[in-house]
Amino acid sequence: MSSERLEAIDSGARGAGDPVITVREANVRFDMDKGTSRVLNDVNMDIQRGETLGVVGESGSGKSMFADALLDAVVDPGILTGEIIYHPENREPIDLLNLAPWELREVRWEDISMVFQGAMSAFNPTMSIGEHFEETLEAHGWEIEPGLERAKELFEDLHLEPERMLSSFPHELSGGQKQRCLIALSLILEPEVLVMDEPTAALDLLMQRSILNLLYDIKDKYDLTLVFISHDLPIVSGFADRLAVLYAFEFVEIGEANDILGNAAHPYTRALLKSTPNLEIPLDEMQPIEGESPDPVSHPEGCSYHPRCPLGDERCEVDDPEFRPVNDKHDVRCHYWERADEAVPLAFGGDSDE
């Protein structure tokens, strides 16, 4: 892609610093009898080395598809197009969408690893946890004994008993233990980037907080870049450096986590905050988001949120907004973002003094 084309991309996609992954015009589509289903739509994003990027949105907004795209792991018959470039330290950039299958297998787990949804069903019930680690090490040509020593260190970092975990079968572990074992397995080959797709969704609030605290420590110890996918904006906002809000398979707001939590500029982000259980919000202030997300086969013209938006008008129906700067570290795709606080008031954060 030419330098002129890169400069033309929405400013909200561009981070300042040292990108470890750059995504340009990423699209995922499924050709169906009733039409083409677009489940990721012209996504542009810079993921900065060493950051924790929180990706949030409702169910069906495209979060998991974005995660799969980062590893070129979109399942058939899905078609992924665009550019996804991995920038390893001290090596040439790697174009993930133009790798041979064996090359892609090397990048996955060793450079970019992923914790998929559903720790409860992620392990083979006929194999011990230790056998899962041995299988992964063997598949990538790593020595078993040094690898298991690293596994033991990871277990200790995650407050688990190494010997007990390695000898246990999945059914002998609690949900929180299995989730932490899955995190350890994802890190066994020393990746630089860890993508986590709803890693705490099936856990109670106390265990969610515990695992997030452990991840915070592990990120620093192992110099990780984290991409944390979640539907729970308040939880991830306390953990992430930046937030990227997805709606209808497109990013609509990107910025520093604290700024978005306290000064959300997109009506959808504000509605999402208002609809999510949060100890800071009085119960009578919580409201569901009215309407439904658009069908991926019949995506609306203009702004994708306009059918549900209190600020939506004729302009929004035909004119798809570009990213606009809220400040130098916060961008939003909305024609009327400066009126969003009036249209969707919040009882906390940036509106608490109103």
Side-chain angles (χ1 to χ4, degrees):
M1 186 178 293
S2 69
S3 59
E4 292 83 3
R5 180 72 190 94
L6 282 175
E7 289 303 319
I9 287 174
D10 292 334
S11 62
R14 310 290 300 278
D18 179 18
V20 65
I21 296 177
T22 55
V23 180
R24 294 291 179 265
E25 297 187 333
N27 289 271
V28 176
R29 74 176 191 269
F30 289 80
D31 292 326
M32 306 166 64
D33 291 340
K34 64 177 182 177
T36 298
S37 176
R38 298 186 180 276
V39 291
L40 204 64
N41 191 29
D42 287 337
V43 164
N44 299 290
M45 172 65 69
D46 284 356
I47 300 171
Q48 300 301 319
R49 195 180 312 276
E51 78 168 334
T52 297
L53 175 69
V55 178
V56 296
E58 293 172 283
S59 295
S61 60
K63 302 187 303 297
S64 294
M65 199 57 61
F66 176 69
D68 290 346
L70 292 178
L71 285 84
D72 190 13
V74 175
V75 298
D76 289 334
I79 300 171
L80 169 62
T81 59
E83 287 187 352
I84 300 178
I85 310 296
Y86 167 54
H87 304 269
E89 286 192 296
N90 305 317
R91 286 188 284 157
E92 291 298 311
I94 298 171
D95 184 348
L96 295 180
L97 303 193
N98 283 297
L99 295 180
W102 66 268
E103 293 174 312
L104 188 58
R105 282 195 296 271
E106 286 188 355
V107 171
R108 292 174 181 164
W109 289 84
E110 296 187 39
D111 290 303
I112 306 172
S113 188
M114 185 166 180
V115 176
F116 293 92
Q117 288 192 54
M120 304 303 175
S121 58
F123 293 104
N124 185 332
T126 68
M127 296 170 56
S128 70
I129 298 299
E131 288 174 318
H132 284 86
F133 279 82
E134 291 174 8
E135 181 181 65
T136 301
L137 292 163
E138 287 176 354
H140 289 263
W142 287 51
E143 294 185 17
I144 300 299
E145 290 306 316
L148 290 180
E149 288 303 311
R150 174 175 167 83
K152 293 176 182 178
E153 182 180 357
L154 286 164
F155 283 136
E156 290 176 349
D157 291 334
L158 291 162
H159 296 182
L160 296 170
E161 300 175 40
E163 297 299 339
R164 182 189 163 211
M165 292 300 107
L166 290 172
S167 62
S168 294
F169 284 81
H171 72 273
E172 297 176 307
L173 304 178
S174 69
Q177 289 172 328
K178 277 190 273 196
Q179 186 65 72
R180 284 177 284 167
C181 285
L182 194 58
I183 293 170
L185 184 60
S186 71
L187 296 174
I188 192 63
L189 301 184
E190 304 180 10
E192 182 179 10
V193 181
L194 181 59
V195 181
M196 311 189 76
D197 189 4
E198 298 275 11
T200 63
L203 305 176
D204 62 61
L205 185 60
L206 185 60
M207 182 54 65
Q208 288 181 24
R209 296 287 187 185
S210 175
I211 287 179
L212 290 178
N213 288 335
L214 292 173
L215 284 172
Y216 187 86
D217 295 335
I218 284 176
K219 174 186 177 294
D220 288 342
K221 179 175 179 179
Y222 295 102
D223 295 323
L224 292 169
T225 300
L226 296 182
V227 180
F228 194 96
I229 312 289
S230 178
H231 66 279
D232 195 330
L233 200 161
I235 282 184
V236 74
S237 65
F239 174 64
D241 300 307
R242 280 196 306 153
L243 289 176
V245 182
L246 264 172
Y247 180 76
F249 327 113
E250 302 171 329
F251 285 109
V252 298
E253 187 162 9
I254 302 171
E256 289 190 345
N258 289 338
D259 197 39
I260 287 186
L261 188 64
N263 187 32
H266 198 284
Y268 172 67
T269 307
R270 299 178 71 85
L272 193 63
L273 282 165
K274 203 164 187 174
S275 68
T276 306
N278 188 330
L279 294 178
E280 296 183 31
I281 302 179
L283 278 176
D284 58 359
E285 293 286 338
M286 290 183 56
Q287 295 179 1
I289 303 176
E290 296 183 2
E292 296 179 349
S293 299
D295 187 325
V297 175
S298 55
H299 200 273
E301 296 294 327
C303 174
S304 57
Y305 190 57
H306 82 257
R308 307 172 75 183
C309 182
L311 293 173
D313 62 9
E314 292 180 359
R315 179 187 183 190
C316 303
E317 293 176 8
V318 297
D319 185 7
D320 190 10
E322 296 183 353
F323 274 106
R324 301 160 186 267
V326 177
N327 56 50
D328 59 351
K329 296 181 179 179
H330 182 177
D331 297 275
V332 63
R333 289 179 63 181
C334 177
H335 295 304
Y336 305 116
W337 66 268
E338 291 172 305
R339 291 162 44 196
D341 58 343
E342 299 173 5
V344 189
L346 298 175
F348 69 102
D351 304 329
S352 58
D353 294 329
E354 295 180 7

